[in-house]
Amino acid sequence: MLIDGVKDGNRRALARAITLVESGRPADRRRAARLLDAVADPGRQALRIGLSGTPGVGKSTFIEAFGMMLTGQGKRVAVLAVDPSSTRSGGSILGDKTRMERLSREKRAFIRPSPSQTELGGVARRTREAIALCEAAGFDVVIVETVGVGQSETLVAQMTDIFTLLLAPGGGDELQGVKRGIMEIADLIVINKADGEMKTQAERTRADYAGALHLLRRREGDPEDFPKALTASSLSQEGLATVWDEMSALAGHRRETGHWERIRAAQNRHWFHDAVRHGILRHLTSDAATKDAMASLGEAVARGETAPSAAADEMLRRLFPGGA
Ligand code: GDP
């Protein structure tokens, strides 16, 4: 049984369950919904870590070293990936097992590459459900990897507890291709590659970002010194323990103050609203009568017979006869 397999933390069962939630087929969707319902266990909560950074910054090296450190401590670590881009750059496939060879062989680890792409809304739902499955399977830490260049960061931030931005030494945000909005949602900024000749520059970059973060509004209820900038080396592993300590400190603080539950509750509400919105949008393109009405009203607008807002009102009256 898939349900028991997932609950027992069986990795093959977990992989099959994730394949099920990734399927768009209506019959699979129904099975997936039943499965998610059956395995849900509020007593099992992982620390969900969002990790973002541009290609080449060292995400896979970081996750491998960080993941190995955690599994070495007896923790179970799952790695998922969100990759909204259809064109993948230079072999940098997110969540690719060959990028994290040691971790992928580790018994306490589970790595899942990003699924083939559809619209972003679909990616969000599948990733959320995959996270839920990893939690149900008893993983202590779920790392969600994403490329720090676009929309997917906001999605990931809304489904994780701690959002971490990985940067390289030197260069401003523009140079590193990081959008300003991403910095604003980061709980931690880690300047990676703080080793050898780059160590001094990494420290300078850290200080620059620490200064910039200081000007940003911290998340309500968080300790004074968050968001925080740190340095680390995924190669020498220096600083990785501190990254974990800071993540644990922030999570611990939020748990003690009740903020943890409030953030997760707000996230759940967000995804509920999001699912309803997507359902309505899907209805516009999948229900035959609705599709026809959209087409004919669209024609009337195009011919100038009806004003766009009047046509929209008419359409909304048809969709929601009780008023919208
Ligand atoms: P990703 O595309 O973000 O996943 O980046 P990778 O993990 O593939 O790393 C890109 C390159 O940076 C590789 O050549 C790594 O060996 C190198 N790299 C990653 N982390 C470090 C680090 O901490 N120090 C140094 N010196 N190089 C690193």
Side-chain angles (χ1 to χ4, degrees):
M1 274 290 276
L2 209 48
I3 296 173
D4 295 330
V6 170
K7 283 183 160 179
D8 289 344
N10 180 301
R11 287 185 299 178
R12 280 193 32 217
L14 177 59
R16 278 177 49 217
I18 294 179
T19 303
L20 185 65
V21 302
E22 283 173 357
S23 165
R25 289 174 48 210
D28 287 341
R29 289 300 311 138
R30 284 191 291 277
R31 268 189 73 204
R34 281 199 299 276
L35 173 70
L36 285 160
D37 217 35
V39 299
D41 178 356
R44 282 188 172 179
Q45 275 194 345
L47 179 64
R48 307 171 180 174
I49 300 169
L51 184 84
S52 172
T54 46
V57 75
K59 290 182 298 300
S60 60
T61 314
F62 177 88
I63 294 173
E64 166 132 304
F66 193 67
M68 289 301 289
M69 178 184 80
L70 297 179
T71 55
Q73 296 167 4
K75 296 184 179 69
R76 299 184 67 216
V77 179
V79 182
L80 304 171
V82 176
D83 184 2
S85 62
S86 49
T87 50
R88 289 163 169 170
S89 49
S92 177
I93 299 168
L94 294 182
D96 189 350
K97 286 182 190 176
T98 58
R99 290 164 69 228
M100 303 169 201
E101 238 179 279
R102 282 193 309 142
L103 193 61
S104 65
R105 286 197 302 265
E106 177 56 49
K107 270 203 317 288
R108 295 196 187 90
F110 174 84
I111 300 176
R112 181 77 176 192
S114 57
S116 60
Q117 296 315 308
T118 54
E119 36 118 27
L120 210 52
V123 174
R125 179 188 56 70
R126 292 185 308 204
T127 310
R128 258 189 311 115
E129 292 177 349
I131 293 174
L133 289 170
C134 292
E135 284 197 330
F139 280 85
D140 303 295
V141 178
V142 179
I143 300 173
V144 186
E145 179 191 11
T146 180
V147 184
V149 286
Q151 260 182 303
S152 60
E153 277 58 46
T154 330
L155 290 182
V156 172
Q158 272 158 342
M159 55 179 80
T160 51
D161 302 309
I162 290 182
F163 193 79
T164 304
L165 176 62
L166 212 58
L167 292 174
D173 318 338
E174 302 85 23
L175 259 176
Q176 303 208 15
V178 172
K179 298 251 161 46
R180 189 179 156 69
I182 298 173
M183 244 186 81
E184 286 171 353
I185 55 174
D187 295 303
L188 275 182
I189 287 182
V190 177
I191 316 298
N192 189 37
K193 307 192 184 183
D195 47 46
E197 287 173 2
M198 288 184 284
K199 200 165 179 173
T200 320
Q201 193 171 24
E203 180 47 44
R204 217 175 300 137
T205 308
R206 189 206 66 77
D208 286 349
Y209 277 97
L213 285 176
H214 197 66
L215 300 175
L216 292 177
R217 220 168 71 86
R218 74 191 160 94
R219 204 161 174 164
E220 205 188 320
D222 277 353
E224 288 290 337
D225 53 346
F226 279 94
K228 202 175 254 191
L230 305 168
T231 56
S233 165
S234 305
L235 278 194
S236 77
Q237 285 151 46
E238 201 180 325
L240 293 183
T242 309
V243 171
W244 174 250
D245 288 346
E246 294 291 355
M247 287 175 173
S248 307
L250 183 58
H253 181 274
R254 286 181 182 166
R255 281 207 163 95
E256 279 163 26
T257 55
H259 213 55
W260 175 278
E261 278 72 25
R262 280 197 291 279
I263 293 174
R264 283 213 173 181
Q267 289 181 341
N268 284 339
R269 212 181 340 257
H270 168 85
W271 291 116
F272 159 63
H273 287 175
D274 188 72
V276 172
R277 254 195 311 274
H278 270 92
I280 293 174
L281 289 178
R282 208 166 38 243
H283 184 76
L284 286 183
T285 52
S286 62
D287 178 69
T290 307
K291 223 162 84 180
D292 287 350
M294 281 293 280
S296 61
L297 282 165
E299 280 302 315
V301 169
R303 285 194 301 267
E305 291 165 13
T306 315
S309 48
D313 282 346
E314 165 64 20
M315 190 64 221
L316 290 170
R317 266 197 300 278
R318 290 191 200 187
L319 279 175
F320 307 104

